[in-house]
Amino acid sequence: MKKATKKEIEIIKQAFVENYSDAVTELNYRNDYELLIAIILSAQCTDKRVNIITPALFEKYPSVKELAVADLEDVKALLNTCSFFNNKAKNIIKMAQSVLSEYDGEIPHDQKKLMKLAGVGNKTANVFMIEFEGANLMAVDTHVFRVSHRLGLSDGKTVDITEADLVKKLKGHDLHIFHQAMVLFGRYICKAVKPECDKCYFPQVCKSKSGFKPA
């Protein structure tokens, strides 16, 4: 795969800013507690599914105080249509317990502190900071990974390498915009199967279009 040139990167950046500058997560939440849990649950699960699951969860466990003492089997039952619900149920309870004991019940708004919580890795912490704080960070999920490779922004084999490539090539104060842009662009246009190339904002710079078979 050819790498994007500096000129092509500027075309991509401009198009993303023009079309997605106001984009936010599609996860439904009312506060930082709900956002963090929704992001944890969204790993390898669609935002649509998470939004179906969380209302009942948040009604029964409206804060870390209630969730920290929740019955594991009850939480599993509330999450059972979510991928890896057994581990996620354990993790969100442990997360709530840690927040209660270590941070006085307040979700930390710090990347490193977030990553110490159960179920929270680099991507989850970054997504939280991007969404809630507008932090100048990049988070790489399956959509961002796919889009960045198709556009020649990265040829990294891992999420960490891809993230580093994107931070370097999209450097500036708009990384949070580019993250949201690539998520939505990958979810609705540059899809894994049958990408809608006729809706692409920059077909002239795509490195993969010739390899796609017509629907």
Side-chain angles (χ1 to χ4, degrees):
M1 192 75 67
K2 290 184 178 180
K3 291 186 178 181
T5 65
K6 289 184 178 179
K7 184 177 180 180
E8 289 172 337
I9 291 172
E10 288 306 312
I11 291 172
I12 293 168
K13 289 169 68 174
Q14 183 176 348
F16 278 155
V17 170
E18 287 178 355
N19 290 279
Y20 296 102
S21 60
D22 297 323
V24 294
T25 182
E26 293 187 317
L27 293 168
N28 295 334
Y29 70 95
R30 293 170 295 187
N31 51 52
D32 53 0
Y33 161 75
E34 293 187 357
L35 174 62
L36 183 57
I37 288 180
I39 297 170
I40 292 172
L41 297 183
S42 70
Q44 295 180 287
C45 185
T46 66
D47 287 4
K48 184 177 180 181
R49 171 56 52 187
V50 173
N51 289 338
I52 291 172
I53 294 168
T54 50
L57 177 70
F58 296 150
E59 182 178 2
K60 191 161 189 180
Y61 304 105
S63 75
V64 291
K65 184 178 179 180
E66 292 82 14
L67 186 58
V69 293
D71 177 74
L72 176 59
E73 295 306 315
D74 184 58
V75 176
K76 285 182 181 180
L78 290 168
L79 305 184
N80 68 2
T81 60
C82 184
S83 58
F84 306 104
F85 69 91
N86 286 314
N87 283 335
K88 289 177 180 178
K90 294 175 185 176
N91 282 335
I92 64 172
I93 292 174
K94 287 181 181 178
M95 178 276 293
Q97 291 169 345
S98 295
V99 170
L100 204 59
S101 63
E102 297 175 30
Y103 303 110
D104 298 320
E106 299 292 330
I107 302 293
H109 290 206
D110 176 273
Q111 184 189 34
K112 291 182 180 180
K113 289 180 180 178
L114 284 165
M115 289 176 64
K116 292 179 181 179
L117 300 174
V120 181
N122 180 68
K123 188 203 80 174
T124 297
N126 283 7
V127 171
F128 177 90
M129 294 299 294
I130 288 168
E131 175 63 23
F132 211 84
E133 298 290 346
N136 190 41
L137 296 169
M138 174 56 66
V140 178
D141 68 357
T142 182
H143 300 299
V144 175
F145 189 87
R146 178 175 68 255
V147 169
S148 63
H149 285 69
R150 284 181 176 176
L151 295 178
L153 295 173
S154 175
D155 58 3
K157 303 298 183 183
T158 68
V159 167
D160 290 340
I161 294 173
T162 301
E163 180 184 325
D165 286 342
L166 291 174
V167 169
K168 182 179 179 180
K169 293 180 180 179
L170 302 176
K171 59 186 176 183
H173 301 292
D174 299 320
L175 285 178
H176 61 294
I177 293 176
F178 297 137
H179 162 73
Q180 299 288 18
M182 294 174 81
V183 169
L184 296 177
F185 180 69
R187 184 174 292 162
Y188 297 111
I189 297 177
C190 195
K191 298 182 285 188
V193 179
K194 296 181 181 179
E196 299 186 26
C197 299
D198 57 320
K199 295 181 181 179
C200 184
Y201 301 118
F202 28 68
Q204 74 276 26
V205 305
C206 181
K207 307 302 178 186
S208 311
K209 187 176 180 181
S210 61
F212 298 143
K213 296 179 180 180

